[in-house]
């Protein structure tokens, strides 16, 4: 029986997923997209093959998605990340949901009905606000490694601290002022995540359960509770949240 | 692997149009250098008929700025106007045009060998579309030391009433008195009526051209429309424009009877609400071709349909025509209009272009897309961009949104 692959070449990370005809996940791969999308796709795909313990010739169909979807030479077809995230999230939560994907350079909000049909979607505007790169900038300003931002945010004790400006540059100056005023880094780290969640709130009305996907929620556990608080709905973060787009692409490749 | 992208089908009349537009600019250039002739600048939905009635050669800066945009020069010159205090948030037709002028650049040089835009004897605006035209023209008025006069239209109105018409008609008549002083003679009413008659005819023909897109498949796209509307903008009121649209209409009608599609294998029919993104016409048009989707109707191209023009009542009918325009109206009227268009053209989806620097043509900003989606049951997409300032456009994001929108239509 052939297997099916989905490759999601995002602006920051490239993800690959292999599924069988029953849509069971057999392998995953991840890597930095860097400046070589084709190479990143190749290596994430290889990783997934290795994890599944199979070789390329068993793959029946490959669908690519994400910013670099056009750079995947071995893909049989391309679909947008909007389609693939909706598909992947609905597979995991087969009911009316709102998919909130927060990626490195953009975020997408997608409304899916109870049959899995997309009703509406919106992408963020043309800046870093509400994306992973906003958090990167803030971590940099706080002089902490990005991977420590999450732990720091979870130790916040003052949830009233907020960052009002969404422009990354304005936010940085605001943070400087707050550091000067003696506000703790922990509280500022959390405030940065609240800012990301607020941008989601502004993008599209969210009325049902949210399935949050993408690297930002995968790597920052406090985001789940923050999103839920800001949006006022139940928020699910599936395991392997970063791979939901690639999963959706693999499901599409399987023709499901 | 994806299928090869079908090729755009060129419209044969385009060659004639190129000649017509070249003649227009060359005539203006000559007039500007001939002391016995007078040049008036006018906004695109300004009182061109009145100016032709006086015998002015009429030049349209918006058209010039759209050429800057379409030739991808606008973004290069906008910063010079920004640096002189004209904000990057205001009309990028204005900033591109003034910025280019400051640097002594015009795309007319490469296209027609014309060194500079024609020196005006007067600048005439109508604020029916926005305040920016007034500020724009005043800059040139100060620069050239010539009068800048205009008409102040009511905005956001529901029905056009006799009071509105009387006010605008009165302003046109006052304008005529001022223009007489500049032209050096009074208005020749016979000539004026004749111009209004030709303009009305041009408008009817242009409307018929656009309505050929009601056919399935459509013989023309919005992108074709933005190019072929040139004569309706800059030459309405002349016989040249009438002749041109007769030719174009004939070609499109024969396309319809032969079943020739502008977009081969047309699957979806879309409405474009808002300004064109001038520097991206080609790439957008190619993307839609590849998606086998035809953007075939728009508010924008319809802006040069003036149904009310009547040679027997030139002042009042002009007042009515220029006040009945979409851009002058309230949201309920606009929604009614778009609803009718969507029904007439059997539209599957609406694309709103939120042009950052033109709030006047960005109708998505006060909740209209949601209201119309509820009313019509037609999905919509909003693209962030701009008419001329490509710094405000994320091509990747727009392309992905468009592709995802077509995928969404596909699932139904
Ligand atoms: S309507 Fe918009 S694009 Fe046209 S002149 Fe006014 S502001 Fe500029």
């Amino acid at each position: 029986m052939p297997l099916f692959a989905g490759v999601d070449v995002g602006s920051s990370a490239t993800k690959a997923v292999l599924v069988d005809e029953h849509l069971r996940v057999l392998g995953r791969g991840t890597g930095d997209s860097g400046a070589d999308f084709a190479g990143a796709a190749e290596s994430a795909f290889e990783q997934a093959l290795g994890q599944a313990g199979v070789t390329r010739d068993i793959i029946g169909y490959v669908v690519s998605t994400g910013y670099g979807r056009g750079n995947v030479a071995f893909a049989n077809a391309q679909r947008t990340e909007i389609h693939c995230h909706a598909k992947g999230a609905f597979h995991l939560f087969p009911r009316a949901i709102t998919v909130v994907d927060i990626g490195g350079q953009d975020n997408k909000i997608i409304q899916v009905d109870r049959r899995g049909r997309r009703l509406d979607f919106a992408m963020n505007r043309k800046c870093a606000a509400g994306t992973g790169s906003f958090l990167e900038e803030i971590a940099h300003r706080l002089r902490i490694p990005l991977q420590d931002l999450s732990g720091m945010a979870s130790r916040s004790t003052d949830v009233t601290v907020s960052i009002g400006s969404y422009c990354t540059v304005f936010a940085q100056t605001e943070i400087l002022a707050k550091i000067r005023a003696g506000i703790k880094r922990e509280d500022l780290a959390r405030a940065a995540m609240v800012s990301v969640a607020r941008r989601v709130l502004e993008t599209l009305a969210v009325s049902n359960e949210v399935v949050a996907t993408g690297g930002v929620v995968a790597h920052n556990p406090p985001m789940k509770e923050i999103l839920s608080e800001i949006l006022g709905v139940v928020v699910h973060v599936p395991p392997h949240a970063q791979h939901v787009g690639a999963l959706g692409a693999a499901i599409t490749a399987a023709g499901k | 692997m994806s299928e090869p992208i079908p090729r755009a089908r060129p419209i044969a009349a385009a060659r004639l149009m190129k000649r017509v537009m070249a003649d227009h600019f060359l005539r203006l250039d000559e007039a500007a250098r001939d002391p016995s002739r007078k040049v008036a600048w006018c906004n695109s939905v300004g009182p061109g008929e009145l100016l032709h009635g006086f015998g002015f050669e009429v030049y349209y800066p918006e058209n010039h700025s759209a050429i800057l945009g379409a030739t991808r020069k606008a973004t290069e010159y906008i910063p010079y106007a920004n640096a002189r205090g004209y904000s990057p948030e205001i009309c990028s037709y204005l900033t591109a045009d003034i910025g280019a002028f400051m640097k002594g650049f015009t795309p007319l040089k490469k296209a027609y060998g014309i060194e500079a835009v024609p020196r005006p004897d007067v600048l005439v605006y109508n604020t029916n579309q926005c305040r920016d035209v007034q500020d724009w023209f005043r800059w040139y008025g100060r620069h050239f030391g010539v009068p800048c006069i205009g008409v102040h239209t009511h905005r956001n109105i529901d029905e056009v009433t006799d009071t509105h018409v009387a006010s605008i008609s009165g302003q046109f008549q006052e304008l005529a008195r001022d223009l007489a002083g500049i032209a050096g003679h009074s208005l020749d009413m016979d000539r004026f009526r004749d111009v209004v008659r030709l303009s009305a005819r041009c408008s009817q023909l242009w409307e018929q051209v656009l309505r050929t897109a009601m056919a399935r498949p459509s013989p023309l796209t919005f992108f074709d429309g933005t190019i072929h509307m040139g004569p309706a903008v800059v030459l309405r009121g002349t016989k040249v424009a009438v002749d041109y649209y007769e030719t174009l209409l004939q070609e499109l009608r024969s396309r319809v009877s032969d079943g020739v599609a502008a977009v081969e294998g047309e699957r979806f029919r879309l409405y474009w609400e808002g300004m064109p993104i001038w520097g991206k016409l080609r790439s957008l048009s190619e993307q839609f071709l590849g998606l086998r989707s035809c953007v075939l109707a728009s508010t924008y191209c319809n802006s040069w349909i003036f149904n009310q023009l009547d040679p027997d009542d030139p002042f009042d009918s002009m007042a009515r025509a220029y006040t009945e325009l979409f851009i002058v109206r309230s949201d309920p009227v606009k929604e009614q209009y778009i609803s009718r268009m969507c029904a007439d053209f059997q539209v599957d989806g609406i694309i709103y272009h939120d042009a950052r620097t033109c709030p006047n043509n960005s109708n998505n900003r006060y909740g209209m897309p949601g209201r119309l989606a509820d009313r019509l049951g037609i999905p919509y997409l909003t693209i962030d961009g701009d008419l001329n300032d490509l710094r405000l456009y994320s091509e990747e994001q727009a392309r992905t949104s468009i592709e995802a929108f077509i995928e969404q239509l596909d699932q139904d």
Side-chain angles (χ1 to χ4, degrees):
Chain A
M1 273 298 158
L3 300 183
F4 305 95
V7 182
D8 176 4
V9 186
S11 55
S12 311
T14 294
K15 291 79 60 177
V17 166
L18 298 188
V19 298
D20 65 11
E21 52 171 350
H22 304 295
L23 308 185
R24 280 184 302 235
V25 175
L26 303 181
R28 291 189 187 84
T30 319
D32 251 358
S33 297
D36 173 15
F37 286 175
E42 192 65 41
S43 93
F45 184 48
E46 284 294 340
Q47 252 184 64
L49 291 169
Q51 202 182 79
V54 297
T55 50
R56 237 163 224 263
D57 45 337
I58 198 171
I59 305 298
Y61 205 79
V62 182
V63 168
S64 64
T65 187
Y67 269 118
R69 61 186 178 278
N71 298 76
V72 185
F74 54 91
N76 300 91
Q78 299 174 21
R79 301 305 293 267
T80 65
E81 46 272 42
I82 310 288
H83 167 88
C84 293
H85 276 89
K87 197 94 183 161
F90 183 75
H91 173 70
L92 300 170
F93 298 88
R95 47 189 185 260
I97 49 172
T98 301
V99 184
V100 172
D101 175 67
I102 306 176
Q105 306 270 308
D106 69 9
N107 61 35
K108 322 172 233 312
I109 323 289
I110 313 159
Q111 266 157 6
V112 177
D113 73 5
R114 63 189 167 80
R115 291 180 294 143
R117 286 168 72 259
R118 256 163 49 201
L119 298 176
D120 202 357
F121 70 92
M123 291 170 87
N124 73 330
R125 298 188 167 232
K126 304 157 285 219
C127 70
T131 70
S133 48
F134 178 78
L135 293 182
E136 271 176 44
E137 290 295 327
I138 300 302
H140 179 70
R141 169 53 57 205
L142 295 175
R143 298 288 184 269
I144 52 174
L146 183 60
Q147 60 271 24
D148 294 353
L149 194 70
S150 174
M152 197 160 255
S154 55
R155 291 193 299 278
S156 161
T157 50
D158 184 356
V159 298
T160 62
V161 173
S162 74
I163 300 174
S165 8
Y166 50 71
C167 162
T168 310
V169 176
F170 286 6
Q172 301 236 21
T173 16
E174 200 180 331
I175 283 181
L176 276 180
K178 295 208 153 123
I179 291 173
R180 235 182 9 231
I183 291 176
K184 289 194 310 188
R185 289 199 295 183
E186 286 75 1
D187 297 328
L188 288 169
R190 185 178 192 281
M193 292 187 191
V194 171
S195 168
V196 168
R198 286 203 180 278
R199 302 294 78 78
V200 171
L201 175 77
E202 293 157 3
T203 307
L204 192 68
V206 169
S207 52
N208 41 25
E209 287 171 67
V210 162
V211 177
T213 65
V216 170
V217 290
H219 300 311
N220 297 285
M223 275 307 297
K224 177 178 167 170
E225 167 246 316
I226 292 173
L227 272 173
S228 170
E229 191 186 308
I230 300 287
L231 302 175
V233 295
V234 175
V235 174
H236 305 279
V237 177
H240 310 289
Q242 199 178 4
H243 284 80
V244 173
L247 173 66
I251 294 170
T252 308
K256 304 280 160 98
Chain B
M1 292 296 138
S2 47
E3 305 167 43
I5 296 175
R7 291 173 65 83
R9 216 179 285 272
I11 292 178
R15 284 181 47 205
L16 174 58
M17 191 194 61
K18 275 201 183 124
R19 208 164 61 229
V20 162
M21 294 300 279
D23 290 348
H24 161 70
F25 286 114
L26 292 168
R27 200 178 46 249
L28 271 165
D29 186 46
E30 266 170 35
R33 286 183 283 115
D34 177 348
S36 69
R37 289 159 77 188
K38 302 255 161 150
V39 173
W41 289 20
C42 184
N43 64 295
S44 65
V45 285
E49 291 78 4
L50 189 57
L51 298 170
H52 281 295
F54 272 106
F56 286 102
E57 294 295 340
V58 188
Y59 167 78
Y60 294 87
E62 281 156 85
N63 169 248
H64 184 257
S65 202
I67 302 174
L68 281 167
T71 52
R72 309 260 195 119
K73 285 290 180 191
T75 308
E76 191 178 325
Y77 290 104
I78 289 167
Y80 296 107
N82 296 157
R84 293 293 186 97
Y86 283 81
S87 163
E89 303 286 336
I90 65 167
C91 175
S92 60
Y93 269 171
L94 178 165
T95 49
D97 190 62
I98 292 180
F101 186 85
M102 285 170 170
K103 300 310 273 183
F105 177 82
T106 170
L108 302 180
K109 168 113 188 193
K110 187 168 174 211
Y112 312 113
I114 294 171
E115 292 296 332
V117 294
R119 189 183 198 289
D121 294 288
V122 62
L123 300 115
V124 182
Y125 60 82
N126 186 342
T127 60
N128 52 359
Q129 59 188 87
C130 62
R131 67 162 275 179
D132 297 60
V133 285
Q134 186 179 354
D135 296 276
W136 181 359
F137 284 23
R138 288 214 166 135
W139 187 90
Y140 283 105
R142 286 190 296 271
H143 176 83
F144 287 111
V146 298
C148 177
I149 49 182
V151 170
H152 297 90
T153 296
H154 314 272
R155 299 288 314 273
N156 290 325
I157 56 177
D158 288 320
E159 286 319 305
V160 177
T161 64
D162 290 347
T163 317
H164 295 132
V165 173
S167 134
I168 303 302
S169 178
Q171 292 190 56
F172 279 150
Q173 290 171 51
E174 261 171 46
L175 198 62
R177 284 192 284 279
D178 292 343
L179 288 169
I182 296 160
H185 57 80
S186 59
L187 179 64
D188 173 345
M189 281 308 286
D190 288 337
R191 179 174 186 163
F192 181 31
R193 283 202 180 88
D194 202 40
V195 171
V196 171
R197 183 182 60 76
L198 287 167
S199 191
R201 182 70 191 133
C202 169
S203 153
Q204 280 162 6
L205 285 163
W206 176 234
E207 180 171 27
Q208 286 167 18
V209 161
L210 292 174
R211 289 183 87 78
T212 60
M214 284 163 61
R216 248 180 213 278
S218 166
L220 101 157
T221 70
F222 161 68
F223 305 103
D224 298 327
T226 61
I227 303 299
H228 287 270
M229 71 184 203
V233 179
V234 304
L235 286 162
R236 64 175 188 278
T238 70
K239 186 163 177 313
V240 181
V242 170
D243 293 346
Y244 176 67
Y245 288 116
E246 272 165 357
T247 308
L248 178 61
L249 183 60
Q250 209 172 28
E251 180 178 350
L252 293 172
R253 284 196 169 146
S254 66
R255 273 190 175 193
V256 171
S257 53
D258 298 343
V260 172
V263 172
E264 223 177 282
E266 173 191 297
R267 293 161 62 231
F268 298 113
R269 299 166 63 85
L270 306 171
Y271 189 86
W272 184 279
E273 172 47 49
M275 298 282 291
I277 304 172
W278 287 109
K280 294 291 167 183
L281 287 181
R282 173 185 286 227
S283 60
L284 283 166
S285 136
E286 284 174 354
Q287 185 181 12
F288 284 106
L289 264 177
L291 294 166
R292 299 191 184 271
S293 300
C294 189
V295 183
L296 47 76
S298 70
T299 307
Y300 184 70
C301 288
N302 284 12
S303 306
W304 288 272
I305 298 172
F306 306 99
N307 287 325
Q308 296 289 342
L309 290 179
D310 174 3
D312 293 332
D313 188 9
F315 279 110
D316 277 9
S317 74
M318 261 180 78
R320 201 171 274 284
Y322 286 103
T323 308
E324 274 205 344
L325 285 180
F326 183 93
I327 200 164
V328 180
R329 314 300 290 279
S330 66
D331 270 17
V333 178
K334 288 177 174 171
E335 286 164 30
Q336 183 68 36
Y337 182 92
I338 296 175
S339 303
R340 206 174 50 237
M341 287 290 292
C342 287
D344 287 354
F345 287 80
Q346 302 175 52
V347 163
D348 300 305
I350 304 179
I351 297 181
Y352 293 85
H353 170 209
D354 188 340
R356 173 78 165 265
T357 71
C358 180
N360 314 289
N361 277 304
S362 298
N363 284 299
N364 60 302
R365 297 186 184 179
Y366 293 83
M368 183 188 293
R371 287 194 297 275
L372 275 178
D374 289 347
R375 172 167 172 175
L376 304 173
I378 298 176
Y380 70 89
L381 171 72
T382 303
I383 300 176
D384 293 312
D386 193 55
L387 43 136
N388 258 0
D389 192 343
L390 294 178
R391 298 173 301 181
L392 301 169
Y393 179 63
S394 158
E395 180 146 42
E396 179 56 37
Q397 214 171 96
R399 289 187 75 83
T400 299
S401 297
I402 290 168
E403 205 177 319
F405 187 60
I406 302 298
E407 284 172 348
Q408 185 177 325
L409 293 175
D410 235 346
Q411 64 184 0
D412 295 325

